Short mmCIF file of all heavy atoms in Angstrom, two decimals:
data_model
loop_
_atom_site.label_atom_id
_atom_site.label_comp_id
_atom_site.label_asym_id
_atom_site.label_seq_id
_atom_site.Cartn_x
_atom_site.Cartn_y
_atom_site.Cartn_z
N PHE A 450 8.11 13.90 18.49
CA PHE A 450 7.76 15.30 18.27
C PHE A 450 8.84 16.24 18.80
O PHE A 450 9.11 17.29 18.20
CB PHE A 450 6.43 15.63 18.95
CG PHE A 450 5.26 14.81 18.46
CD1 PHE A 450 4.13 14.64 19.25
CD2 PHE A 450 5.27 14.21 17.21
CE1 PHE A 450 3.05 13.90 18.81
CE2 PHE A 450 4.19 13.46 16.76
CZ PHE A 450 3.08 13.30 17.57
N GLY A 451 9.44 15.90 19.93
CA GLY A 451 10.47 16.75 20.50
C GLY A 451 11.64 16.92 19.55
O GLY A 451 12.18 18.03 19.38
N LYS A 452 12.05 15.85 18.89
CA LYS A 452 13.16 15.93 17.93
C LYS A 452 12.75 16.75 16.71
O LYS A 452 13.55 17.52 16.17
CB LYS A 452 13.59 14.52 17.51
CG LYS A 452 14.22 13.72 18.63
CD LYS A 452 14.61 12.32 18.17
CE LYS A 452 15.23 11.51 19.31
NZ LYS A 452 15.57 10.13 18.87
N ALA A 453 11.50 16.60 16.28
CA ALA A 453 11.01 17.39 15.14
C ALA A 453 11.03 18.88 15.48
O ALA A 453 11.48 19.71 14.68
CB ALA A 453 9.61 16.95 14.77
N VAL A 454 10.56 19.23 16.69
CA VAL A 454 10.53 20.63 17.10
C VAL A 454 11.94 21.19 17.19
O VAL A 454 12.20 22.34 16.79
CB VAL A 454 9.77 20.78 18.43
CG1 VAL A 454 10.00 22.17 19.03
CG2 VAL A 454 8.29 20.53 18.23
N ARG A 455 12.88 20.42 17.71
CA ARG A 455 14.26 20.90 17.80
C ARG A 455 14.83 21.19 16.41
O ARG A 455 15.54 22.19 16.21
CB ARG A 455 15.13 19.89 18.53
CG ARG A 455 14.91 19.87 20.04
CD ARG A 455 16.00 19.12 20.78
NE ARG A 455 15.94 17.69 20.53
CZ ARG A 455 15.18 16.84 21.21
NH1 ARG A 455 14.37 17.29 22.16
NH2 ARG A 455 15.20 15.55 20.95
N GLU A 456 14.52 20.34 15.45
CA GLU A 456 15.01 20.56 14.09
C GLU A 456 14.36 21.81 13.49
O GLU A 456 15.03 22.60 12.82
CB GLU A 456 14.73 19.33 13.23
CG GLU A 456 15.38 19.39 11.87
CD GLU A 456 15.40 18.05 11.14
OE1 GLU A 456 15.30 17.00 11.80
OE2 GLU A 456 15.54 18.07 9.90
N ILE A 457 13.09 21.99 13.74
CA ILE A 457 12.39 23.17 13.22
C ILE A 457 12.94 24.44 13.84
O ILE A 457 13.16 25.46 13.15
CB ILE A 457 10.87 23.04 13.49
CG1 ILE A 457 10.28 21.87 12.70
CG2 ILE A 457 10.15 24.34 13.14
CD1 ILE A 457 8.89 21.45 13.15
N MET A 458 13.20 24.40 15.14
CA MET A 458 13.71 25.60 15.81
C MET A 458 15.16 25.90 15.42
O MET A 458 15.57 27.07 15.43
CB MET A 458 13.57 25.45 17.32
CG MET A 458 12.14 25.69 17.81
SD MET A 458 11.54 27.33 17.34
CE MET A 458 9.83 26.95 16.97
N ALA A 459 15.91 24.88 15.07
CA ALA A 459 17.27 25.13 14.56
C ALA A 459 17.18 25.88 13.23
O ALA A 459 17.99 26.79 12.96
CB ALA A 459 18.01 23.81 14.38
N LEU A 460 16.20 25.54 12.41
CA LEU A 460 15.99 26.27 11.16
C LEU A 460 15.53 27.70 11.45
O LEU A 460 15.94 28.64 10.76
CB LEU A 460 14.95 25.55 10.30
CG LEU A 460 15.35 24.18 9.74
CD1 LEU A 460 14.16 23.51 9.06
CD2 LEU A 460 16.51 24.32 8.76
N ALA A 461 14.68 27.86 12.46
CA ALA A 461 14.23 29.21 12.83
C ALA A 461 15.41 30.08 13.25
O ALA A 461 15.47 31.28 12.93
CB ALA A 461 13.20 29.13 13.94
N ASP A 462 16.36 29.49 13.97
CA ASP A 462 17.57 30.23 14.33
C ASP A 462 18.32 30.68 13.08
O ASP A 462 18.82 31.82 13.02
CB ASP A 462 18.49 29.35 15.19
CG ASP A 462 17.97 29.17 16.61
OD1 ASP A 462 17.22 30.04 17.08
OD2 ASP A 462 18.31 28.15 17.23
N ASN A 463 18.40 29.80 12.08
CA ASN A 463 19.09 30.16 10.83
C ASN A 463 18.37 31.29 10.11
O ASN A 463 19.00 32.19 9.54
CB ASN A 463 19.18 28.94 9.91
CG ASN A 463 20.13 27.88 10.44
OD1 ASN A 463 20.95 28.16 11.32
ND2 ASN A 463 20.03 26.68 9.92
N ALA A 464 17.03 31.25 10.13
CA ALA A 464 16.26 32.31 9.48
C ALA A 464 16.49 33.65 10.17
O ALA A 464 16.70 34.68 9.50
CB ALA A 464 14.78 31.95 9.49
N ASN A 465 16.47 33.67 11.49
CA ASN A 465 16.71 34.92 12.22
C ASN A 465 18.13 35.41 12.03
O ASN A 465 18.38 36.62 11.95
CB ASN A 465 16.40 34.72 13.70
CG ASN A 465 14.91 34.78 14.01
OD1 ASN A 465 14.28 35.83 13.87
ND2 ASN A 465 14.33 33.66 14.41
N ARG A 466 19.06 34.45 11.97
CA ARG A 466 20.46 34.82 11.73
C ARG A 466 20.61 35.50 10.36
O ARG A 466 21.34 36.49 10.21
CB ARG A 466 21.34 33.58 11.83
CG ARG A 466 22.83 33.88 11.86
CD ARG A 466 23.64 32.60 12.04
NE ARG A 466 23.28 31.91 13.27
CZ ARG A 466 22.70 30.72 13.33
NH1 ARG A 466 22.43 30.07 12.20
NH2 ARG A 466 22.40 30.17 14.49
N TYR A 467 19.92 34.97 9.36
CA TYR A 467 19.98 35.54 8.01
C TYR A 467 19.45 36.98 8.02
O TYR A 467 20.08 37.89 7.44
CB TYR A 467 19.15 34.68 7.05
CG TYR A 467 18.86 35.32 5.72
CD1 TYR A 467 19.85 35.42 4.75
CD2 TYR A 467 17.60 35.85 5.45
CE1 TYR A 467 19.59 36.02 3.52
CE2 TYR A 467 17.33 36.45 4.23
CZ TYR A 467 18.32 36.54 3.26
OH TYR A 467 18.06 37.13 2.04
N ILE A 468 18.33 37.19 8.70
CA ILE A 468 17.76 38.54 8.75
C ILE A 468 18.67 39.49 9.51
O ILE A 468 18.88 40.65 9.13
CB ILE A 468 16.35 38.50 9.38
CG1 ILE A 468 15.42 37.65 8.51
CG2 ILE A 468 15.79 39.90 9.57
CD1 ILE A 468 14.11 37.29 9.17
N ASP A 469 19.27 38.98 10.61
CA ASP A 469 20.21 39.81 11.38
C ASP A 469 21.40 40.23 10.53
O ASP A 469 21.88 41.37 10.62
CB ASP A 469 20.70 39.05 12.61
CG ASP A 469 19.62 38.91 13.68
OD1 ASP A 469 18.65 39.69 13.65
OD2 ASP A 469 19.75 38.00 14.53
N GLU A 470 21.90 39.31 9.73
CA GLU A 470 23.07 39.60 8.89
C GLU A 470 22.74 40.60 7.79
O GLU A 470 23.54 41.48 7.46
CB GLU A 470 23.62 38.30 8.29
CG GLU A 470 24.25 37.37 9.31
CD GLU A 470 24.60 36.01 8.73
OE1 GLU A 470 24.22 35.74 7.56
OE2 GLU A 470 25.24 35.21 9.43
N LYS A 471 21.56 40.49 7.20
CA LYS A 471 21.18 41.37 6.09
C LYS A 471 20.72 42.74 6.57
O LYS A 471 20.82 43.73 5.83
CB LYS A 471 20.07 40.71 5.27
CG LYS A 471 20.50 39.45 4.54
CD LYS A 471 21.59 39.75 3.51
CE LYS A 471 21.98 38.53 2.72
NZ LYS A 471 23.04 38.82 1.71
N LYS A 472 20.19 42.84 7.77
CA LYS A 472 19.76 44.09 8.38
C LYS A 472 18.88 44.93 7.44
O LYS A 472 19.24 46.04 7.02
CB LYS A 472 20.98 44.91 8.81
CG LYS A 472 21.80 44.25 9.91
CD LYS A 472 23.00 45.11 10.29
CE LYS A 472 23.74 44.53 11.48
NZ LYS A 472 24.21 43.14 11.25
N PRO A 473 17.72 44.43 7.08
CA PRO A 473 16.85 45.19 6.16
C PRO A 473 16.43 46.55 6.71
O PRO A 473 16.14 47.46 5.94
CB PRO A 473 15.64 44.26 5.98
CG PRO A 473 15.66 43.34 7.15
CD PRO A 473 17.10 43.15 7.48
#
Side-chain angles (χ1 to χ4, degrees):
F450 300 157
K452 293 179 181 178
V454 167
R455 285 194 291 274
E456 188 165 338
I457 294 166
M458 282 302 143
L460 293 173
D462 287 335
N463 290 344
N465 280 294
R466 191 177 301 115
Y467 167 75
I468 297 168
D469 288 340
E470 291 172 352
K471 294 297 183 180
K472 296 180 174 58

